[in-house]
């Protein structure tokens, strides 16, 4: 039975939530392994829409164990709210487990994220302002507070005091802001501890046991390849590793435990936040795609920047995550476009670049080299088999796979579960 890593191949919002939910019907365990509530994964079941930020998208199936792994940064306030939200919508969250090693997002992380963005002004990253970067900074600096600490009152008090000494100093002296009150945070956070303590576990053991027992395990990536701290468009990235390799570190399993990697690819490209975007469409076509695709952030509500599909990015994502196959989503959004472009390379300084550059200065000057394909001008949202798609839609899919050298396993033609075409099964019957 496979353990499958599912990653975003672009700048996030590829439809990872929808594909995870689809596959989760056959998954025994679904694991989030990085990021935090900067993620916004939308899942549509029947006429109900669920927006998840921290809890894996497998939670909508009662029999699936869902895990928030050690690599995730957890804002317990958001977690408790999300648990309540799901309960209020009739979803049982008893199968959720939270890693005792995951780091916590504290109120000062959120404030510092906001203050840094304001300080940077025009050079801002365009973060979600949820405290993600500062929380990962504290983890790297070895001063972060973990879930296991939160469950130990003395340990928590001592770590919170030490952190507040430092953070209040920074807030007051550098940013000329008011610091945070120890007692307020302490009481608030112990309240969250009470609500989540029964869900806390050494989750690496649960995942390992499931793999050993031959169960289906699905690792649900957040963000996307180009937001990766190492492989993305640095510094316009997030502070974690959305690439497939991070599933091992963020869940506590070894590389030999992973049997397949699927890249989720939106049929066009979007990006939220700042940074270069070679195939961006700043014209009516971009507006059209944004409106038809409802490209507005799940987490921040910001309009997403839209552009043509970029296969330079996809080839790069295929390499750095070792993609076995791709799931192409939102094909239906392109249904009424007469001529569709695919970027197959970049022109830079008179030469053609085949590979994604590391320098943002170079990337910002890259001109996309396009191939133009005829649109299909037909409703694809009812298609359930590859053969149901018109020839031009099939050609679009086949051309993407051909250019990037990775087969297509799944095609999504709408947000609902049933609006999914399977070309190659990932799990048994799925
Ligand atoms: P994620 O962050 O990768 O999970 O993606 P988001 O949930 O932020 O954004 C994807 C959006 O597209 C969500 O609103 C989904 O419900 C929706 N969606 C997913 N797949 C499809 C599809 O094939 N067609 C259409 N029209 N919408 C889709
Ligand atoms: P999902 O999982 C799209 C972007 C932010 C910003 C950069 C850094 O829904 O695909 P951060 O708050 O992480 O420090 O912001 O990363 N970003 C996302 N963009 N989808 C996401 O998640 C994102 N999570 C972060 O917009 O540009
Ligand atoms: Mg999203």
């Amino acid at each position: 039975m496979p353990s499958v890593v599912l990653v975003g191949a672009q700048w996030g919002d590829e439809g990872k939530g929808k594909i995870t939910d689809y596959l989760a019907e056959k998954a025994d365990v679904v694991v989030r392994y990085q990021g935090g509530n900067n993620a916004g994964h939308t899942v549509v079941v029947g006429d109900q829409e669920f927006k998840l930020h921290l809890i894996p998208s497998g939670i909508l199936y009662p029999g699936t164990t869902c895990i928030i792994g050690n690599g995730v940064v957890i804002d317990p306030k958001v977690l408790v709210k999300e648990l309540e939200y799901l309960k209020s919508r009739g979803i049982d969250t008893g199968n959720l487990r939270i890693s005792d090693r995951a780091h916590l997002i504290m109120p000062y992380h959120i404030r510092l994220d906001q203050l840094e963005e304001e300080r940077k002004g025009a050079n801002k990253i365009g973060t979600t302002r949820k405290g993600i970067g500062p929380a990962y900074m504290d983890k790297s600096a070895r001063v972060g507070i973990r879930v296991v600490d939160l469950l130990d009152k003395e340990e928590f008090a001592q770590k919170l005091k030490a952190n507040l000494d430092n953070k209040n100093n920074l807030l007051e002296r550098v940013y000329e802001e008011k610091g945070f009150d120890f007692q307020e945070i302490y009481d608030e956070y112990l309240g969250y501890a009470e609500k989540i303590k029964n869900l806390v576990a050494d989750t690496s053991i649960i995942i390992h046991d499931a793999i050993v027992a031959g169960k289906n395990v699905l690792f649900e990536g957040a963000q996307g390849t180009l937001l990766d701290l190492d492989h993305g468009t640095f510094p316009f990235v997030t502070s974690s590793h959305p690439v497939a390799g991070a599933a091992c570190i963020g869940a506590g399993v070894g590389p030999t435990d992973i049997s397949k990697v699927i890249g989720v690819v939106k049929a066009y490209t979007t990006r939220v936040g700042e940074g270069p975007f070679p195939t961006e469409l700043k014209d009516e076509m971009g507006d059209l795609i944004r409106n038809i695709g409802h490209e507005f952030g799940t987490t921040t509500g910001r309009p997403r920047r839209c552009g043509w599909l970029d296969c330079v990015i996809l080839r790069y994502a295929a390499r750095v995550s070792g993609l076995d196959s791709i799931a192409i989503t939102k094909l239906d959004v392109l249904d009424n476009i007469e001529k569709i472009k695919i970027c197959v390379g970049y022109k830079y300084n008179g030469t053609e670049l085949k590979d994604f550059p590391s320098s943002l200065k170079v990337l910002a000057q890259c001109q996309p080299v396009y191939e133009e394909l005829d649109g299909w001008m037909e409703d694809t949202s009812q298609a359930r088999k590859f053969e149901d798609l018109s020839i031009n839609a099939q050609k679009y899919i086949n051309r993407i796979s051909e250019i990037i050298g990775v087969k297509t396993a799944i095609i999504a033609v709408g947000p609902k579960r049933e609006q999914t075409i399977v070309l190659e099964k990932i799990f048994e019957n799925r």
Side-chain angles (χ1 to χ4, degrees):
M1 293 284 174
S3 51
V4 176
V5 180
L6 183 142
V7 295
Q10 295 150 317
W11 272 291
D13 302 324
E14 295 91 349
K16 298 175 293 293
K18 142 124 197 183
I19 302 296
T20 300
D21 167 76
Y22 181 78
L23 293 175
E25 189 188 57
K26 295 290 169 199
D28 300 292
V29 184
V30 181
V31 188
R32 272 280 309 267
Y33 57 88
Q34 46 70 231
N37 61 302
N38 47 350
H41 297 182
T42 309
V43 179
V44 179
V45 185
D47 54 5
Q48 293 213 66
E49 188 179 68
F50 295 88
K51 291 185 187 295
L52 299 159
H53 298 283
L54 263 175
I55 297 176
S57 302
I59 198 74
L60 305 181
Y61 294 98
T64 309
T65 300
C66 284
I67 288 178
I68 299 179
N70 56 276
V72 174
V73 283
I74 300 176
D75 182 336
K77 184 177 184 175
V78 174
L79 177 59
V80 165
K81 228 169 114 186
E82 199 157 295
L83 284 166
E84 281 164 5
Y85 157 77
L86 286 169
K87 273 180 206 151
S88 77
R89 306 261 324 246
I91 305 296
D92 177 19
T93 54
N95 281 342
L96 178 72
R97 293 293 174 271
I98 302 158
S99 170
D100 48 5
R101 288 176 169 84
H103 280 246
L104 296 175
I105 296 180
M106 306 297 293
Y108 45 81
H109 291 139
I110 299 170
R111 191 73 195 111
L112 286 167
D113 195 356
Q114 292 161 348
L115 287 167
E116 260 307 284
E117 283 287 275
E118 279 157 27
R119 190 190 64 79
K120 285 182 178 144
N123 297 323
K124 71 177 191 288
I125 288 166
T127 74
T128 58
R129 301 187 178 211
K130 306 287 183 193
I132 306 295
Y136 278 116
M137 280 164 72
D138 278 359
K139 178 176 176 176
S140 297
R142 296 160 293 181
V143 296
I145 305 178
R146 300 185 298 167
V147 170
V148 65
D149 305 320
L150 180 64
L151 301 190
D152 178 331
K153 283 183 188 164
E154 281 92 58
E155 194 74 15
F156 182 61
Q158 185 245 315
K159 291 198 164 150
L160 179 61
K161 265 199 192 106
N163 270 283
L164 277 181
D165 273 356
N166 192 312
K167 295 299 187 298
N168 282 346
N169 212 351
L170 184 67
L171 284 166
E172 284 155 16
R173 291 181 187 221
V174 175
Y175 295 98
E176 296 177 342
E177 282 275 317
K178 204 169 155 276
F180 283 88
D181 178 63
F182 168 85
Q183 202 60 43
E184 244 173 63
I185 299 182
Y186 182 77
D187 293 342
E188 184 188 338
Y189 272 59
L190 286 192
Y192 301 138
E194 208 42 49
K195 290 193 171 146
I196 64 168
K197 68 178 183 203
N198 293 335
L199 303 176
V200 175
D202 186 338
T203 50
S204 158
I205 298 174
I206 303 173
I207 303 165
H208 182 258
D209 288 351
I211 292 172
V212 170
K215 296 196 171 157
N216 288 335
V217 180
L218 181 60
F219 297 89
E220 176 184 8
Q223 289 80 51
T225 306
L226 292 188
L227 291 172
D228 187 278
L229 186 56
D230 273 72
H231 302 288
T233 44
F234 188 90
F236 300 103
V237 293
T238 191
S239 298
S240 73
H241 296 283
V243 299
C248 293
I249 299 169
V253 299
T256 48
D257 287 327
I258 307 294
S259 33
K260 273 187 199 167
V261 182
I262 306 174
V264 185
V265 171
K266 194 170 342 196
Y268 45 94
T269 314
T270 62
R271 164 161 220 184
V272 209
E274 310 303 315
F277 176 176
T279 62
E280 183 168 14
L281 290 163
K282 291 181 177 164
D283 56 9
E284 285 163 11
M285 184 57 77
D287 294 341
L288 185 81
I289 293 175
R290 183 176 310 106
N291 289 329
I292 299 176
H294 304 293
E295 294 296 352
F296 297 88
T298 311
T299 302
T300 57
R302 288 178 289 178
R304 295 172 181 157
R305 300 157 65 192
C306 296
W308 296 120
L309 188 75
D310 186 335
C311 287
V312 180
I313 290 174
L314 299 182
R315 270 198 303 261
Y316 179 61
R319 169 157 53 86
V320 298
S321 278
L323 301 183
D324 290 295
S325 60
I326 54 172
I328 300 179
T329 61
K330 303 193 100 163
L331 187 70
D332 55 298
V333 174
L334 304 181
D335 280 355
N336 295 307
I337 300 177
E338 274 177 28
K339 296 280 178 195
I340 301 174
K341 290 183 181 173
I342 302 183
C343 168
V344 294
Y346 293 154
K347 266 249 155 73
Y348 171 71
N349 245 348
T351 56
E352 196 167 319
L353 296 185
K354 287 278 180 212
D355 295 310
F356 196 73
S358 55
S359 157
L360 282 206
K361 228 158 130 189
V362 172
L363 185 65
Q365 288 172 45
C366 281
Q367 294 298 322
V369 178
Y370 285 119
E371 237 177 62
E372 194 174 77
L373 277 75
D374 289 328
W376 40 95
M377 305 301 286
E378 205 176 273
D379 176 21
T380 57
S381 68
Q382 305 304 317
R384 298 295 175 265
K385 297 192 299 294
F386 192 65
E387 301 74 54
D388 294 343
L389 296 172
S390 68
I391 287 295
N392 284 352
Q394 292 187 13
K395 277 187 184 164
Y396 187 66
I397 300 289
N398 289 338
R399 188 69 188 121
I400 297 168
S401 272
E402 189 177 60
I403 298 169
I404 66 174
V406 181
K407 63 188 176 235
T408 303
I410 298 173
I411 303 164
V413 291
K416 296 184 175 171
R417 274 181 186 164
E418 61 272 20
Q419 291 177 304
T420 311
I421 299 171
V422 177
L423 289 91
E424 189 185 280
K425 290 190 168 67
I426 304 299
F427 295 127
E428 204 184 330
N429 304 325
R430 261 286 192 252

